[in-house]
Amino acid sequence: MITGLAGTITSTSITSKERKLAANYLRDTKIDLLKSIKGLSKSQLNFKPSGNRTSIKECIYQAAASEKNLWDLMQCTLMEPANPEKRPEIKWSDEKLLEAADNCTGKTFEVRKSSFKSIEDALESFKVTRAEHFKYMKGTTEDLRNHVAQTAYGWLDCYQLCLLISSYSKHYLELIEEIKTDPKFPSR
C-alpha cells in the first residue's frame, strides 16, 4: 500500500485543484456505480441483451478488476525511481484522457480473467479498494506527476492513472445503465 507519508506538499506534489478533482471523481463514480445496481435481482444482474454482450454482473467484475489492476500499476510505478524524462512522451492532457476514456468502446476495458467468486466478492473488493484510493488521494504527497508508466493509452503519469481508474468505473456505469434500458431487461 502506498502510504503517502513522504512528507509535506512540495512543488512536485499534485495541486489542491488536482487532488480535489481526483478525490471527487473517485467518490462520485463509486456512489453512482453502487447506486445503479442497488436492489437488482439475480436475473437482472445476469441478463445479457444479446449472447455476446456483457451482463451487469460482468460489468461489476470488470470494474473491480480494473480498479485493482490500475492501482497495482500505479503502486509499482511509484516504487520505481521518478522518471520525469518520460513526461514528454505523455500525449494526453488530463482533460483529453478523461474524454477519451469516457468515450471508449467496451473492448478497451475488457478484463480477461476474474478472481471473484461472486458479485458480492467483487463489490466488496471494489468498495474496499476504492475507499483506500480515495483516502490516498486526499492526503498523498507523492510525486505523482514525475512517475510515468506505459499503458494502453501510451505513457501516463500516476495522477492520470488515478483519473483513469474513475473513468473505468464511469464506463461500466454507462454500460449498466444501457443494459437496464433494454426492452427485454427483466422486471425482477
Side-chain angles (χ1 to χ4, degrees), residues 96-108:
K96 290 292 182 189
L97 176 67
L98 290 174
E99 189 177 298
D102 289 348
N103 294 312
C104 72
T105 64
K107 286 203 177 287
T108 305

Side-chain angles (χ1 to χ4, degrees), residues 24-149:
N24 287 346
Y25 203 31
L26 284 166
R27 182 197 63 224
D28 294 347
T29 53
K30 174 189 172 190
I31 290 168
D32 292 344
L33 185 69
L34 295 176
K35 190 171 22 171
S36 75
I37 62 164
K38 187 175 182 174
L40 294 181
S41 69
K42 186 175 180 178
S43 62
Q44 290 171 321
L45 292 169
N46 290 309
F47 171 77
K48 290 186 176 193
S50 64
N52 62 347
R53 297 281 311 274
T54 303
S55 69
I56 292 173
K57 177 177 150 181
E58 290 166 333
C59 286
I60 297 301
Y61 281 24
Q62 291 170 353
S66 63
E67 178 94 10
K68 182 177 178 346
N69 292 341
L70 284 169
W71 196 260
D72 288 350
L73 174 60
M74 185 174 149
Q75 285 183 313
C76 289
T77 303
L78 284 169
M79 286 187 220
E80 296 294 322
N83 54 349
E85 69 279 1
K86 292 291 185 184
R87 287 207 53 76
E89 301 289 328
I90 298 172
K91 304 297 182 209
W92 299 91
S93 68
D94 299 345
E95 295 78 19
K96 290 292 182 189
L97 176 67
L98 290 174
E99 189 177 298
D102 289 348
N103 294 312
C104 72
T105 64
K107 286 203 177 287
T108 305
F109 291 95
E110 206 171 304
V111 177
R112 302 213 186 286
K113 186 179 178 188
S114 173
S115 62
F116 305 114
K117 294 174 178 48
S118 68
I119 192 164
E120 294 80 16
D121 186 31
L123 283 170
E124 185 61 23
S125 173
F126 177 77
K127 289 177 194 175
V128 167
T129 54
R130 181 57 67 94
E132 291 170 2
H133 303 164
F134 178 77
K135 182 178 177 182
Y136 172 80
M137 285 309 296
K138 292 284 286 182
T140 186
T141 58
E142 301 279 354
D143 183 4
L144 300 181
R145 290 299 195 177
N146 285 316
H147 284 83
V148 182

